[in-house]
């Protein structure tokens, strides 16, 4: 099939107006594209840097059609858009990634079945269909596990760690009938992620692999490049490429993985979009994940993802706003630090408000500086 490229001057539609859409819009507008976003909030982070806004919920068919009719291609800021919405708008504009990708990813159970079928290693898991079944799974996993809602979870939301079989009944009540899966607890030594892009033309490019630290289930820091042997990096990228090909994915795709003490890799989850652990690419790489996503969905050749500098990214959560606006001079006065704020007006604990990118080839030092910065912003 031939795909006419979508060129600068044409319009990209985005479903969802969070920070990922915003950073993609900034990259796209630099290249000369127009952006129209669908979001319930007319002042959402993406709308602030867009040419147009359709105000509506992400499950509002009519609003999504209104958006699709005024753009040349539609893409996503979140995988939690109902796949039926994508089905409904495909006749007006190409949707990249398409509905079949979302159907596989947005339900954790379907995602896990897909990975099993592909033969990609992941933590032992089981569907949670009954209290008895939950107890049996916990027994099989040695008494511990993490229950995760099948849909709409992110940043640890909709998750419950269970540490004893005697907690089964409470855990089952916590679910209140919500569909879920349970996973064995993985004794990982490190969390890493692959961020790759696959274009409409089938071209594939991988960014340097990232090493992530989470706090309270939310990404805290990313170090890139990860301190991995060449052979391990190759395995990480091979897994991500296998997944992207099997999904016929178009756009950026991130795969989060656990590394075991043996060096074995287990996939934790797939995000069919740009990803927080790829934010370092904007500043540390020749091409950002956001520009690469634009190129992939517009049918352009992918650009050079090579790293120009070692980097550490640290997330700025709403908790830092507890005593008012943080003292940004602490960040701005450091020559290696780059402040990104997402234009969110309502800080809340755990809410991602921005990040700082530290460019330093000595990434151990940059990790220390990241902690110092967060500490000084916390007390300021
Ligand atoms: P998730 O939202 O599923 O990516 O989970 C967020 C974070 O919780 C992960 O990055 C891990 O730090 C932790 N986590 C999730 N699932 C597991 C697991 N099966 N075993 C150990 N830690 C986990």
């Amino acid at each position: 099939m031939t795909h006419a490229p979508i060129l600068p001057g044409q319009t990209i539609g985005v479903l969802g107006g969070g920070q990922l859409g915003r950073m993609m819009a900034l990259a796209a507008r630099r290249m000369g594209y127009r952006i129209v976003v669908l979001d319930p909030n007319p002042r959402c982070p993406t709308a602030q840097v867009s040419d147009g806004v359709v105000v509506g919920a992400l499950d509002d068919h009519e609003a999504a059609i209104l958006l699709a009719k005024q753009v040349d291609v539609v893409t996503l800021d979140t995988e939690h858009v109902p796949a039926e919405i994508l089905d409904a708008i495909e006749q007006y504009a190409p949707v990249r990634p398409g509905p079949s990708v979302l159907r596989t990813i947005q339900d954790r159970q379907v995602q896990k079945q897909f990975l099993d079928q592909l033969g990609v290693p992941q933590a032992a898991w089981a569907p949670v269909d009954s209290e008895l079944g939950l107890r049996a799974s916990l027994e099989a996993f040695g008494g511990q596990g993490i229950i995760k809602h099948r849909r709409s979870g992110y940043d640890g939301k909709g998750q419950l760690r269970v540490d004893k079989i005697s907690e089964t009944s409470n855990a089952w009540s916590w679910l209140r009938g919500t569909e879920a899966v349970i996973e064995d607890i993985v004794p990982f030594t490190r969390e890493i992620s692959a961020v790759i892009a696959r274009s409409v033309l089938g071209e594939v490019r991988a960014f340097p692999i990232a090493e992530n630290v989470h706090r309270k289930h939310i990404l805290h820091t990313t170090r890139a490049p990860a301190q991995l042997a060449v052979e391990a990096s190759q395995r990480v990228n091979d897994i991500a490429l296998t997944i992207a090909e099997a999904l016929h994915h178009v756009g950026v795709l991130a795969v989060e993985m656990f590394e075991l003490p043996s060096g074995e890799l287990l996939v934790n989850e797939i995000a069919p979009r740009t990803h927080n652990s790829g934010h370092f690419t904007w500043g540390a790489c020749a091409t950002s994940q956001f520009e690469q996503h634009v190129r992939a969905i517009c049918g352009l050749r992918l650009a050079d993802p090579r790293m120009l500098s070692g980097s550490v990214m640290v997330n700025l959560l709403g908790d830092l706003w507890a005593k008012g606006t943080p003292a940004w001079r602490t960040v701005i006065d450091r020559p290696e630090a780059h402040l990104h704020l997402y234009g969110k007006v309502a800080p809340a604990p755990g809410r991602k408000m921005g990040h700082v990118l530290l460019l330093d080839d000595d990434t151990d030092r940059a990790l220390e500086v990241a902690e110092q910065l967060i500490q000084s912003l916390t007390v300021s």
Side-chain angles (χ1 to χ4, degrees):
M1 206 201 300
T2 55
H3 295 284
I6 294 153
L7 294 170
Q10 292 188 273
T11 306
I12 300 171
V14 195
L15 300 177
Q19 64 266 24
L20 301 178
R22 175 188 177 97
M23 289 184 270
M24 187 206 68
L26 290 170
R29 292 185 89 186
R30 178 176 58 75
M31 296 168 79
Y33 288 97
R34 296 181 70 256
I35 297 282
V36 181
V37 59
L38 168 68
D39 196 87
N41 173 5
R43 292 294 298 151
C44 66
T46 311
Q48 293 167 24
V49 298
S50 291
D51 298 276
V53 190
V54 175
V55 180
L58 293 184
D59 59 358
D60 179 339
H61 275 74
E62 278 168 28
I65 289 170
L66 195 62
L67 173 104
K69 281 183 171 170
Q70 49 182 303
V71 304
D72 298 291
V73 61
V74 176
T75 192
L76 316 166
D77 164 83
T78 162
E79 61 275 34
H80 299 303
V81 178
E84 304 76 65
I85 294 278
L86 305 196
D87 292 330
I89 64 176
E90 263 188 327
Q91 58 181 300
Y92 302 105
V95 183
R96 297 171 182 161
S100 69
V101 175
L102 285 207
R103 285 206 166 83
T104 306
I105 302 296
Q106 62 190 188
D107 178 332
R108 277 190 200 272
Q109 180 161 316
V110 179
Q111 187 182 135
K112 285 174 181 302
Q113 286 163 338
F114 162 76
L115 289 172
D116 280 344
Q117 276 159 13
L118 260 189
V120 170
Q122 58 182 333
W125 70 279
V128 177
D129 296 326
S130 66
E131 189 176 333
L132 265 182
L134 176 58
R135 178 179 289 272
S137 301
L138 277 167
E139 276 165 2
F141 300 157
Q144 293 187 320
I146 299 189
I147 300 174
K148 298 183 178 181
H149 287 172
R150 277 172 61 173
R151 292 176 172 274
S152 303
Y154 69 98
D155 287 346
K157 294 190 172 74
Q159 297 189 12
L160 182 71
R161 185 181 161 129
V162 183
D163 285 304
K164 289 194 227 69
I165 291 172
S166 58
E167 293 169 14
T168 308
S169 175
N170 282 348
W172 177 251
S173 312
W174 170 82
L175 274 174
R176 292 155 157 237
T178 310
E179 293 184 308
V181 294
I182 180 163
E183 286 173 18
D184 195 0
I185 305 237
V186 178
F188 60 82
T189 43
R190 267 196 305 185
E191 294 190 74
I192 46 191
S193 53
V195 179
I196 67 165
R198 184 174 179 277
S199 79
V200 183
L201 310 168
E203 190 186 6
V204 186
R205 293 269 200 160
F207 286 102
I209 291 156
E211 195 179 308
N212 305 311
V213 173
H214 290 80
R215 284 200 184 152
K216 295 187 190 161
H217 298 274
I218 302 174
L219 183 63
H220 173 54
T221 53
T222 296
R223 176 218 297 254
Q227 297 189 317
L228 275 181
V230 176
E231 178 273 332
S233 304
Q234 193 57 50
R235 276 189 294 132
V236 171
N237 279 333
D238 285 348
I239 290 173
L241 294 179
T242 302
I243 291 169
E245 292 292 345
L247 287 170
H248 304 293
H249 181 70
V250 174
V252 164
L253 173 124
V255 183
E256 293 185 85
M257 300 179 207
F258 298 124
E259 188 187 34
L260 299 180
S262 62
E264 195 188 336
L265 298 164
L266 300 180
V267 168
N268 173 26
E269 72 182 355
I270 308 168
R273 51 167 167 76
T274 56
H275 193 256
N276 195 169
S277 70
H279 288 0
F280 73 89
T281 59
W282 184 4
C285 294
T287 306
S288 74
Q289 60 169 344
F290 305 104
E291 174 170 350
Q292 202 74 307
H293 185 76
V294 170
R295 287 170 169 271
I297 63 166
C298 289
L300 310 184
R301 292 291 309 275
L302 297 180
D304 180 4
R306 162 175 54 110
M307 253 192 132
L308 304 176
S309 167
S311 66
V312 164
M313 187 257 9
V314 57
N315 270 332
L316 303 173
L317 302 184
D319 312 61
L320 295 175
W321 274 250
K323 295 186 200 140
T325 305
W328 296 128
R329 289 293 299 272
T330 338
V331 178
I332 290 163
D333 287 349
R334 293 196 72 101
E336 80 278 40
H338 300 270
L339 177 64
H340 293 240
L341 291 174
Y342 306 146
K344 296 184 185 179
V345 289
R351 186 163 197 222
K352 291 174 180 168
M353 301 294 288
H355 67 268
V356 175
L357 181 69
L358 296 161
L359 294 180
D360 187 343
D361 287 331
D362 183 342
T363 52
D364 286 331
R365 180 171 57 198
L367 278 170
E368 279 172 31
V369 170
E371 296 307 335
Q372 286 163 16
L373 283 178
I374 292 300
Q375 198 54 42
S376 61
L377 291 173
T378 304
V379 297
S380 66

